[in-house]
Amino acid sequence: MFTRLISLLFCSGLAFADTAPTVPALTYSTYLRDRFTPNAIATDSSGNIYLAGNVIVDPSTSQTTVLVVKLNPHASEYVYVRYLGGSVNDYAYAIVVDSAGNAYVAGVTTSPDFPVTSGGNLGTAPSSGTERSFVAKLNATGELVFSDLLGGSANSYAQAVAVSASGQVLVSGTSVASGFPSTPGVYSVSDTAFTPYLLELDPTGTKIVFSATGIGGSAIALDSSGNIYVAGSTGFLTYPTTPGTYQPAFPVFQTCLAPCHGTFQGPNQYVTKLDPTGAKLIFSTAVSGTGNTFNDGLAVDAAGNVYLTGLAGAGYPFTVAAPATPLGPALAALATPALPFLTKLDPAGQKLLFSVPVGGLGVKVDSNGFAYAGGILGLLGNYDVAASLPALANLPAGCLLPNPTRGGSAYVSRVDASGNVLGSQFIGGSNLTISGVALSGTTLWIAGATNLPDFPFSPIALTGSSLRPTPQPGAYLGAVDFSQPQPPAGTPQIGCIVDSADLEPAGPVVPYQLLTVFGAGLGPA
């Protein structure tokens, strides 16, 4: 019999303008499902929650297939559970939901028998050792509406998906071979090997409206006018940029892969805005430093401001003091990127409005211009992130992992329109990663993966059938409400609960287990 603990709150900021002071609170937290790695999360207008990723269907061979689940707004029961795939391996990397509750899922398959609906053969089926992008549409009850292969005979994988108000489906990703097809009148390159792509399908999923190559990314967003935004990272200095933008030239620097027998141009982050037809490049700019920079999130607010998040190495353009690397500038450029960032650009892509060291794993923005981002703590690369990030300045030292190289602990933050961190919620765990965030009102839903369910469990959560440590990751689902009223001064606040013996994070506990509680105001002076 388990006793479940619910983390109360951890606050690193105070009031919002013109509203009563609020703080974040972890309101839902659970280990959801064995052998399921959710790579994307979305919510609909009714508050239902959608997860898409890959699940291991044969533990002996680690064969995977796509899994899409829909939960009710309280995540107290499944609305549907849908498997999609063939006889080899299939992965979903992105999901978006339209106003009718239809879910659009994009990813990659290596299965020659991946299910394709009539008219969906927009790419040839993969053969041995090849991979194809796919996009599929599920209706509100989880029935398959269409399923398409993309990219002709070129190896490729889809990383992002969006849907317009009129039902047009946009897919972006990377072609890893020559021959990815393009259409006239849009940006294209002669050799598509290891270059991004961006394409649009009609609402039936049977016709390509346009297909551009050499442009695209791992994240995609639309504004209210239908303009298309893509963001990603590239090691090529030939990705198109436009004059007069924030950073029209990519920084040139060398990086390497351990054990560093040779160096090469490191990856830079970029963001690109196109008109709704995909024919006009409105702006395209790098947003990078002198070290490896990887994008892992894109959002656009009602005014057209652009938000980027990810992980960066040395020299990233922060507008506040950023944690310093102990390696020195020369070695920092070669280091694994470790420093999270949340960056905001103006609608013209010309000005850096703010750039703060927070988040790194998914970003959403609400109608008030507040940005929400997920992140992970631990000794990431060569930065002592937990001790340096202002978003977590009030986190008790006892909540940090005794052995941070083993994994990481998750957190989420809320940032105002000027870049001030209004509040952060520490989630904990010793090997919990965040793969995506989705916003429903003032609640931020978090999807992730873990093989050690040692984080707080909420009492009403859907708990997986197995809570044993397992070498194969399982799904995590959590929710943080950023509208909880601020407690009176002096109210005890819990930062984390750990096992007293080794100060490791504690999830479900057993009777008579000794626990240590870290926080503020927990006892007499």
Side-chain angles (χ1 to χ4, degrees):
M1 178 177 181
F2 293 109
T3 300
R4 293 184 182 136
L5 305 173
I6 182 165
S7 173
L8 296 186
L9 57 88
F10 162 67
C11 177
S12 66
L14 293 176
F16 310 128
D18 301 323
T19 64
T22 61
V23 296
L26 187 66
T27 56
Y28 187 97
S29 182
T30 189
Y31 179 84
L32 186 68
R33 196 178 184 94
D34 288 338
R35 302 190 180 96
F36 176 35
T37 301
N39 295 317
I41 183 172
T43 54
D44 63 21
S45 57
S46 299
N48 297 299
I49 306 125
Y50 302 75
L51 302 177
N54 44 278
V55 61
I56 296 174
V57 292
D58 185 350
S60 64
T61 64
S62 295
Q63 179 191 345
T64 65
T65 196
V66 170
L67 177 60
V68 183
V69 301
K70 177 180 179 180
L71 300 105
N72 68 7
H74 304 291
S76 58
E77 63 180 17
Y78 290 98
V79 178
Y80 66 71
V81 176
R82 176 75 192 210
Y83 295 87
L84 182 66
S87 58
V88 188
N89 291 307
D90 319 287
Y91 305 88
Y93 292 128
I95 187 170
V96 67
V97 183
D98 66 18
S99 58
N102 299 301
Y104 302 79
V105 181
V108 62
T109 178
T110 60
S111 299
D113 52 354
F114 186 85
V116 177
T117 53
S118 176
N121 287 303
L122 305 176
T124 62
S127 56
S128 177
T130 64
E131 56 190 11
R132 297 288 184 272
S133 298
F134 77 83
V135 63
K137 176 182 178 180
L138 306 176
N139 68 16
T141 60
E143 296 300 317
L144 187 64
V145 178
F146 67 71
S147 177
D148 299 342
L149 295 176
L150 306 172
S153 60
N155 289 356
S156 65
Y157 53 94
Q159 298 166 278
V161 64
V163 60
S164 71
S166 59
Q168 308 283 87
V169 184
L170 292 113
V171 182
S172 195
T174 299
S175 171
V176 294
S178 301
F180 195 99
S182 61
T183 54
V186 294
Y187 190 90
S188 64
V189 293
S190 58
D191 185 359
T192 62
F194 303 103
T195 63
Y197 69 83
L198 171 67
L199 61 80
E200 180 177 288
L201 302 174
D202 77 332
T204 69
T206 60
K207 179 183 178 182
I208 294 178
V209 179
F210 73 79
S211 179
T213 58
I215 200 166
S218 56
I220 189 168
L222 303 175
D223 64 19
S224 57
S225 299
N227 295 306
I228 306 163
Y229 302 74
V230 289
S233 303
T234 180
F236 296 103
L237 302 176
T238 54
Y239 186 89
T241 57
T242 51
T245 54
Y246 168 70
Q247 199 175 31
F250 286 104
V252 179
F253 61 92
Q254 293 293 297
T255 189
C256 67
L257 298 175
C260 288
H261 293 309
T263 62
F264 51 90
Q265 168 63 41
N268 285 300
Q269 178 184 231
Y270 60 85
V271 60
T272 301
K273 178 181 179 180
L274 302 99
D275 77 326
T277 69
K280 180 181 178 182
L281 197 63
I282 299 174
F283 72 74
S284 186
T285 181
V287 186
S288 203
T290 54
N292 301 341
T293 305
F294 290 97
N295 174 271
D296 203 358
L298 165 69
V300 179
D301 66 19
N305 298 299
V306 178
Y307 301 76
L308 303 168
T309 196
L311 297 176
Y316 190 79
F318 288 102
T319 54
V320 298
T325 171
L327 297 179
L331 292 178
L334 303 178
T336 301
L339 197 59
F341 62 83
L342 178 62
T343 298
K344 180 180 179 180
L345 294 174
D346 76 316
Q350 297 175 340
K351 298 178 181 178
L352 192 71
L353 301 180
F354 70 70
S355 190
V356 294
V358 67
L361 299 171
V363 60
K364 295 295 178 183
V365 61
D366 66 18
S367 58
N368 296 314
F370 293 147
Y372 304 75
I376 186 171
L377 295 178
L379 191 62
L380 300 175
N382 298 283
Y383 297 95
D384 187 1
V385 177
S388 305
L389 295 183
L392 295 163
N394 296 334
L395 182 67
C399 295
L400 304 181
L401 295 175
N403 180 18
T405 59
R406 196 181 83 188
S409 301
Y411 73 96
V412 295
S413 296
R414 185 185 198 188
V415 178
D416 70 11
S418 300
N420 301 305
V421 179
L422 301 175
S424 293
Q425 172 66 51
F426 178 69
I427 297 170
S430 64
N431 197 11
L432 175 59
T433 61
I434 292 178
S435 55
V437 297
L439 194 60
S440 181
T442 58
T443 295
L444 188 71
W445 285 94
I446 313 131
T450 181
N451 59 6
L452 290 173
D454 53 4
F455 40 78
F457 278 67
S458 55
I460 61 172
L462 277 172
T463 301
S465 59
S466 171
L467 295 177
R468 302 181 305 275
T470 171
Q472 296 172 327
Y476 169 80
L477 180 63
V480 176
D481 185 355
F482 282 85
S483 68
Q484 296 295 304
Q486 184 177 0
T491 300
Q493 298 184 16
I494 295 176
C496 65
I497 301 173
V498 300
D499 185 88
S500 299
D502 54 11
L503 299 184
E504 293 282 353
V509 299
V510 297
Y512 308 111
Q513 180 178 349
L514 293 179
L515 303 173
T516 299
V517 181
F518 288 99
L522 301 180

